[in-house]
Amino acid sequence: MAEDKAAAPKARALGPEEKDECMKIFDIFDRNAENIAPVSDTMDMLCKLGQTYTKRETEAIMKEARGPKGDKKNLGPEEWLVLCSKWVRQDDEEEILRAFKVFDANGDGVIDFDEFKFIMQKVGEEPLTDAEVEEAMKEADEDGNGVIDIPEFMDLIRKSKNALKEI
């Protein structure tokens, strides 16, 4: 059963790349370079970010965009970023956490070399050498502690998604 997302979700911190992507979209809709975008374009703006919503969700987003005291016709960049932080389902963190749990075979909260090697062997077309797996792990292991924790795994997934968008 799909959950009802019509109520405004809690804001989450946007990463620098997410902010940049959101602002690029804002700039497209800021037609006169006046630092405003029409509220009526909000759904098109979110669609440019790959988001799709039901009619009920759309109404909630529009209400959120306008705000109680906000401009009924225009959206500023700060309002847009707040909307993005609440409504953009870029990385679906729950899905990433489920994947992390699958890859964390022993359930210790981190992905070690052997678990990472197993993942890399399954997703690649050709088996990787230990040296290739070690290099990939070093890239993903941002703090250098020899394991991949949840934040590092999330960053790895985000980077992978961004790399695929550029292809």
Side-chain angles (χ1 to χ4, degrees), residues 93-113:
E93 293 180 13
E94 288 180 26
E95 187 176 322
I96 295 172
L97 287 173
R98 281 193 301 274
F100 181 86
K101 288 177 183 176
V102 169
F103 298 140
D104 178 19
N106 64 7
D108 65 356
V110 294
I111 299 172
D112 61 27
F113 178 82

Side-chain angles (χ1 to χ4, degrees), residues 23-91:
M23 288 312 299
K24 285 177 187 174
I25 300 299
F26 181 87
D27 291 342
I28 291 169
F29 287 87
D30 179 12
R31 292 178 182 91
N32 299 322
E34 296 174 339
N35 224 18
I36 57 172
V39 169
S40 60
D41 287 345
T42 304
M43 291 316 305
D44 291 334
M45 293 165 74
L46 288 168
C47 285
K48 291 277 187 197
L49 290 171
Q51 309 305 304
T52 56
Y53 297 93
T54 66
K55 183 177 179 184
R56 190 168 170 198
E57 289 171 325
T58 301
E59 290 168 0
I61 291 169
M62 297 308 287
K63 183 177 179 182
E64 181 87 16
R66 291 184 186 110
K69 297 179 184 177
D71 186 337
K72 303 284 188 216
K73 294 183 180 181
N74 297 302
L75 188 66
E78 296 82 20
E79 295 166 306
W80 171 241
L81 287 175
V82 168
L83 273 179
C84 285
S85 72
K86 291 183 179 186
W87 290 97
V88 173
R89 297 182 283 221
Q90 250 183 235
D91 292 324

